[in-house]
Amino acid sequence: MKIEERVALGRFTTLGAGGPARAFARPESLDQLDEALAWARARELPVATIGLGSNLLVADDGFDGLVVKLAGELADARVEGDKLVAGGGAPNAVCLHRVRAAALGGFEFACAIPGTVGGGVWMNAGAYGSDWATVLDRALVVDDEGARWLTPAQLGLSYRHSGLRHGQVVAGAEFTLGALPEEQIRANVARLQALRKAAQPTNKRTFGSVFKNPEHELSAGRMLEACGLKGHRIGGARISPRHANFIENADGATAADAIALMAEARRRAHEEYGVELVHEVEFLGPLELPPLAE
Ligand SMILES: Cc1cc2nc3c(=O)[nH]c(=O)nc-3n(C[C@H](O)[C@H](O)[C@H](O)COP(=O)(O)OP(=O)(O)OC[C@H]3O[C@@H](n4cnc5c(N)ncnc54)[C@H](O)[C@@H]3O)c2cc1C
């Protein structure tokens, strides 16, 4: 397996911003994944895995380590009985296609989530009342200590969170689903997609929700909207005029532009509601939000 050097990461993210990875590997099997991890270990380089980059903000300076993007059999999916058996790099859309053809329901919510199985495990992705923890049986986690299957409880899944850390690669996952006629699955997906289209920017470059919803009567989006931030722009990044918890790449946005907008949004929410918003988007490379003033 080839390990490439200085690969620009922006094109692997839905925002389309960010610098290069020092090294980049696309393992197509568990053996190749072990090989990539050993390569990084020998050089004492940190490892991060990316899926479809749909929840990712990559620093403009990039990531000084090895980025792994699962491919081949590690990015494929199949149905076995009432189970979806997927590689960690399998796109949710491919999984949904497979389970629909096998008349298995329960995964329709993932039609709203443009990522991969592994990315979903990493942050317990969810929508419309379901999340990975609802349907996941177990995930195959590979790191320097080897490979092991972990249950949702062992993965520490909670609201948009897992206990996984960089260097741990979700190489595969198994989900148990229930029988549902194909037409019903299609109808569910169409309904959820229409809801999504009505509420969120669907044809823009974004990384999904910027902040987790706080414990407050207002969601993060409603709170930032009430702060008057819809359409607010810094550099090439803009808070979506449709939904204030989305940042769009309006024109050549950098990670620094996105961070500046996020800092401003946190500052305003704190000032007006006393709420400390926590970012949902994952950071890769040297990125940090400034602390809130007392
Ligand atoms: C338009 C839009 C709508 C969205 N709607 C939703 C929604 O409704 N609900 C929701 O939960 N999310 C939503 N998201 C965010 C995003 O799609 C999810 O978080 C998704 O699960 C991220 O998957 P990914 O493969 O793109 O991960 P990436 O963005 O590539 O990575 C995200 C994190 O997961 C880690 N990671 C990725 N793959 C692996 C792996 N195989 N092993 C270990 N770690 C890994 C990365 O290191 C990173 O820390 C939306 C995003 C967009 C752009």
Side-chain angles (χ1 to χ4, degrees):
M1 179 197 33
K2 195 168 147 213
I3 305 231
E4 296 168 75
E5 280 174 40
R6 289 198 63 79
V7 171
L9 291 176
R11 69 193 166 100
F12 295 109
T13 70
T14 50
L15 185 73
R22 175 151 159 191
F24 191 81
R26 294 180 195 240
E28 296 186 4
S29 64
L30 284 175
D31 283 347
Q32 289 193 353
L33 175 57
D34 283 343
E35 207 185 300
L37 295 182
W39 183 93
R41 194 165 53 242
R43 288 158 183 80
E44 298 185 2
L45 287 177
V47 174
T49 314
I50 58 166
L52 290 176
S54 63
N55 191 38
L56 206 56
L57 182 59
V58 178
D60 296 319
D61 289 340
F63 177 65
D64 191 22
L66 172 70
V67 167
V68 168
K69 183 163 170 60
L70 303 176
E73 68 187 49
L74 300 181
D76 205 355
R78 64 185 188 281
V79 167
E80 287 179 11
D82 64 350
K83 281 196 196 309
L84 167 66
V85 179
N92 299 337
V94 169
C95 295
L96 191 53
H97 186 76
R98 301 273 195 276
V99 296
R100 192 181 59 206
L104 287 177
F107 201 65
E108 297 94 299
F109 71 94
C111 73
I113 307 173
T116 61
V117 162
V121 173
W122 178 274
M123 56 92 74
N124 190 22
Y128 302 113
S130 287
D131 57 20
W132 252 233
T134 327
V135 284
L136 180 73
D137 267 351
R138 56 181 195 157
L140 181 64
V141 176
V142 179
D143 60 16
D144 284 342
E145 266 109 63
R148 60 212 170 279
W149 286 97
L150 299 179
T151 62
Q154 290 168 325
L155 289 159
L157 298 191
S158 58
Y159 171 61
R160 304 295 173 267
H161 173 81
S162 75
L164 291 169
R165 51 174 174 73
H166 281 307
Q168 294 188 303
V169 183
V170 177
E174 292 179 3
F175 303 82
T176 298
L177 302 167
L180 197 66
E182 200 179 330
E183 314 80 73
Q184 186 61 53
I185 296 173
R186 278 186 197 282
N188 290 348
V189 167
R191 182 174 52 82
L192 296 179
Q193 281 176 339
L195 284 174
R196 194 37 77 99
K197 216 170 165 189
Q200 291 181 9
T202 48
N203 56 350
K204 303 280 183 213
R205 304 208 71 159
T206 76
F207 44 64
S209 297
V210 181
F211 298 105
K212 299 185 191 199
N213 283 324
E215 286 187 13
H216 192 276
E217 61 185 289
L218 292 180
S219 64
R222 290 279 176 227
M223 189 172 282
L224 297 177
E225 180 176 352
C227 290
L229 285 167
K230 270 188 166 177
H232 189 67
R233 180 167 173 162
I234 296 181
R238 175 174 74 164
I239 294 189
S240 165
R242 288 205 74 186
H243 192 304
N245 200 24
F246 281 76
I247 286 177
E248 299 172 356
N249 185 346
D251 182 17
T254 61
D257 295 339
I259 286 284
L261 257 189
M262 289 172 71
E264 176 63 4
R266 279 187 93 225
R267 188 186 69 74
R268 295 281 291 276
H270 188 238
E271 206 170 85
E272 300 197 19
Y273 293 93
V275 165
E276 294 193 9
L277 289 176
V278 174
H279 61 94
E280 180 165 317
V281 57
E282 293 285 338
F283 293 163
L284 185 61
L287 280 180
E288 222 177 359
L289 283 168
L292 289 163
E294 287 303 311

